[in-house]
Amino acid sequence: MDIHRTFAEVVVWEDGRLRHHGRVDMTRSGLKGFGRSLRRMAVVRVLSPYVGRVIVANPMQVKAIAHASIRTGKIDAGVLAQLHASGFLA
């Protein structure tokens, strides 16, 4: 990503070739949209060298978070960690 004040240009190296992803607005919604467009494996490849193991949960199967009355990223991450530690993470 080449990040500017109001936008970023994104180019991805994939399968030995450069692929232009396009322009991303440097807003919360723009960045979230870009994040959703990333393939799950891209996240795993980037994080794997820095941690022992990367686990990606299917949000459709993590019902404990979906039914929570108070939800924040911090609370959701804690619930995911607890579910994983107890062997209940889908």
Side-chain angles (χ1 to χ4, degrees):
M1 291 179 77
D2 181 24
I3 299 175
H4 299 264
R5 192 176 59 190
T6 59
F7 68 93
E9 288 291 338
V10 179
V11 176
V12 178
W13 180 263
E14 192 171 46
D15 300 324
R17 300 180 70 194
L18 287 176
R19 183 175 59 84
H20 184 247
H21 186 279
R23 186 173 278 197
V24 175
D25 289 332
M26 293 303 292
T27 61
R28 181 178 295 274
S29 62
L31 291 171
K32 281 185 176 182
F34 170 65
R36 281 189 221 93
S37 75
L38 294 174
R39 292 188 332 201
R40 190 172 7 159
M41 294 307 294
V43 174
V44 172
R45 275 196 313 266
V46 169
L47 295 178
S48 291
Y50 304 103
V51 296
R53 186 172 177 202
V54 176
I55 299 169
V56 178
N58 181 341
M60 300 303 290
Q61 295 178 346
V62 185
K63 296 180 193 243
I65 291 176
H67 297 297
S69 59
I70 299 173
R71 294 193 55 212
T72 66
K74 187 175 181 180
I75 291 172
D76 288 356
V79 171
L80 288 169
Q82 289 173 339
L83 288 171
H84 173 64
S86 60
F88 290 108
L89 186 61

